[in-house]
């Protein structure tokens, strides 16, 4: 069995799982929306207030699902482009803990080298992407997310300028 066939099956499993979760959430959001509308139309003041609150929950939920899926697709697009350009961070030789995570010192060293690249050209989405990955390997998830948002915005700007 080839690794590309195995990777294709892995991707299919993830897509199926995501589709199932989104479908389950959609069902839940519709049911919750109906409950909110029922409470609003009951005519009682307390029920109307609760109904508005209940009706707002699926709207917030839909926004969260949309934002999460969009971010995932954006990150996947950048990951594919980085891979195609041969700019993936090579962490295969870095020492790992029993859990599989990269050892802290090695992750910090990787981070420092990638940060130096980023500082030389901070407006290049590729450097921001690589820095986000380095933050992630170093265990700083919040900075990784913020830096990845920056990479997505820079890459979008580059595509808009090219098109």
């Amino acid at each position: 069995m080839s690794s590309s066939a195995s990777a294709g099956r892995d991707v299919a499993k993830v897509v199926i799982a995501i589709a199932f979760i989104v479908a389950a959430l959609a069902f839940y959001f519709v049911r919750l929306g109906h409950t909110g509308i029922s409470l609003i139309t009951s005519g009682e003041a307390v029920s109307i207030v609760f109904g508005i609150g209940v009706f707002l929950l699926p709207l917030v939920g839909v926004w969260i699902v949309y934002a999460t899926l969009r971010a995932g697709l954006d990150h996947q697009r950048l990951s594919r482009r980085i891979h195609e350009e041969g700019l993936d961070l090579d962490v295969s030789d870095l020492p790992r803990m029993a859990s599989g995570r990269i050892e802290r010192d090695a992750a910090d060293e990787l981070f420092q080298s990638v940060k130096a690249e980023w500082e030389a050209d901070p407006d290049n989405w590729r450097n921001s992407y690589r820095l986000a990955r380095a933050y992630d390997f170093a265990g700083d998830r919040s900075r990784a997310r913020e830096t990845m948002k920056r990479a997505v915005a820079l890459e979008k700007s580059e595509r808009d300028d090219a098109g």
Side-chain angles (χ1 to χ4, degrees), residues 88-109:
D88 291 324
L89 289 179
D90 184 12
V91 295
S92 59
D93 293 337
L94 296 180
R96 299 193 179 257
M97 297 183 281
S99 66
R101 293 200 46 87
I102 297 170
E103 287 184 7
R104 182 69 182 192
D105 291 340
D108 288 344
E109 188 176 315

Side-chain angles (χ1 to χ4, degrees), residues 61-154:
V62 166
W63 177 80
I64 290 170
V65 169
Y66 170 78
T68 301
L69 289 175
R70 173 132 190 195
L73 292 171
D74 287 342
H75 298 174
Q76 187 63 33
R77 183 183 64 252
L78 268 56
S79 174
R80 185 177 53 252
R81 287 193 62 189
I82 285 288
H83 179 73
E84 289 169 355
E85 295 177 16
L87 296 173
D88 291 324
L89 289 179
D90 184 12
V91 295
S92 59
D93 293 337
L94 296 180
R96 299 193 179 257
M97 297 183 281
S99 66
R101 293 200 46 87
I102 297 170
E103 287 184 7
R104 182 69 182 192
D105 291 340
D108 288 344
E109 188 176 315
L110 172 69
F111 173 78
Q112 290 304 323
S113 68
V114 173
K115 184 178 178 192
E117 293 172 11
W118 178 83
E119 288 172 342
D121 188 7
D123 293 327
N124 185 328
W125 71 265
R126 292 159 187 86
N127 291 338
S128 290
Y129 176 88
R130 288 169 54 88
L131 183 64
R133 297 292 293 144
Y135 271 127
D136 186 48
F137 289 132
D140 192 342
R141 298 287 195 279
S142 60
R143 284 195 177 115
R145 280 190 296 273
E146 290 306 312
T147 306
M148 188 62 77
K149 286 179 190 176
R150 176 177 167 76
V152 168
L154 289 169

Side-chain angles (χ1 to χ4, degrees), residues 41-78:
T41 59
S42 73
E44 297 177 26
V46 173
S47 294
I48 291 171
V49 171
F50 280 132
I52 291 169
V54 169
F55 187 74
L56 291 176
L57 289 174
L59 297 177
V60 171
V62 166
W63 177 80
I64 290 170
V65 169
Y66 170 78
T68 301
L69 289 175
R70 173 132 190 195
L73 292 171
D74 287 342
H75 298 174
Q76 187 63 33
R77 183 183 64 252
L78 268 56

